[in-house]
Amino acid sequence: MNLALFDLDNTLIAGDSDFQWAQFLIEKKALDRELHEAKNIEFYEQYKAGTLDIHEFLDFQLKPLARHPRTQLEAWRKEFMAQRIAPIIARGTRELVERHKLDGDLCIIITATNSFVTSPIAHALGIEHLIATEPEEKDGEFTGRVAGTPSFREGKIERLEKWLDDHNLTWLSFLRSWFYSDSLNDLPLLSKVTHPVAVDPDPTLKSHAERNNWPVISLR
């Protein structure tokens, strides 16, 4: 068996679901535009630059989940999927995923974005397994805090290895492993797999990939 890992934002989709979710909530007037829009843009720029403090960002990004009942959040999420996500699924995504599935590879989306936002995206793409940052819940409602290790930078490796261990697997269970990503933030995990692939990469990742003879592809 082989392992195929996929980053989500700006890789399988041509945009950032975290950023889009906050903008969607602003449009719904669930968040104050004046207070949140500039901060959302600032965090996104920090992410792209590789300077994001993930805990500061999650404090900003998860708090809105605690301000509204789960039923309301799920209704908004359904609209969000149709309006913001479906149009930005990258053109080559389904073909790439299907190729790995037909080969019998274990396919996992591994993303820093929280699982509330990303679980329906994984489902829409036909990928059963998702490793994402987990928002803390209490009595079925969100607390606004993160549960466990965020799935970000080296945290992706920690979370993946825990997932593999829970499924009685290790890196040695796989002859080959792929990771598809656009971001310099994913260099730690890209460096762990046998087949790192840069997908529509940011400038830092593109330079690193070219220096190390990693494939550079586009799904758009």
Side-chain angles (χ1 to χ4, degrees), residues 79-194:
E79 283 186 63
F80 170 74
M81 282 292 298
Q83 294 176 15
R84 293 287 187 126
I85 298 301
I88 63 171
I89 293 173
R91 185 173 51 187
T93 288
R94 296 187 189 280
E95 181 183 350
L96 174 65
V97 171
E98 190 61 23
R99 186 165 74 242
H100 278 287
K101 290 172 72 174
L102 286 173
D103 286 343
D105 300 336
L106 175 61
C107 296
I108 305 173
I109 287 176
I110 183 161
T111 175
T113 303
N114 72 78
S115 61
F116 178 77
V117 169
T118 56
S119 57
I121 306 175
H123 179 76
L125 296 177
I127 299 178
E128 178 182 359
H129 304 296
L130 170 70
I131 298 171
T133 297
E134 293 297 336
E136 185 184 69
E137 296 183 42
K138 184 177 181 181
D139 299 326
E141 300 291 338
F142 295 113
T143 67
R145 296 184 293 272
V146 65
T149 300
S151 180
F152 181 65
R153 295 186 69 95
E154 290 80 6
K156 283 193 175 183
I157 298 173
E158 179 183 333
R159 291 287 308 283
L160 173 62
E161 291 179 347
K162 175 66 166 59
W163 189 96
L164 292 174
D165 185 61
D166 288 345
H167 291 79
N168 297 311
L169 297 166
T170 70
W171 285 107
L172 297 177
S173 304
F174 308 101
L175 182 62
R176 294 185 291 173
S177 55
W178 287 264
F179 182 35
Y180 297 87
S181 177
D182 72 293
S183 176
L184 63 93
N185 293 293
D186 283 331
L187 281 169
L189 183 52
L190 283 162
S191 299
K192 287 281 290 186
V193 298
T194 63

Side-chain angles (χ1 to χ4, degrees), residues 21 24-25 28 30 64-65 67-79 116 141:
W21 174 246
F24 176 82
L25 292 180
K28 285 291 179 185
L65 296 181
R67 295 177 188 151
H68 305 281
R70 185 68 172 262
T71 51
Q72 177 63 79
L73 290 168
E74 289 176 353
W76 280 334
R77 185 177 63 176
K78 188 175 181 179
E79 283 186 63
F116 178 77
E141 300 291 338

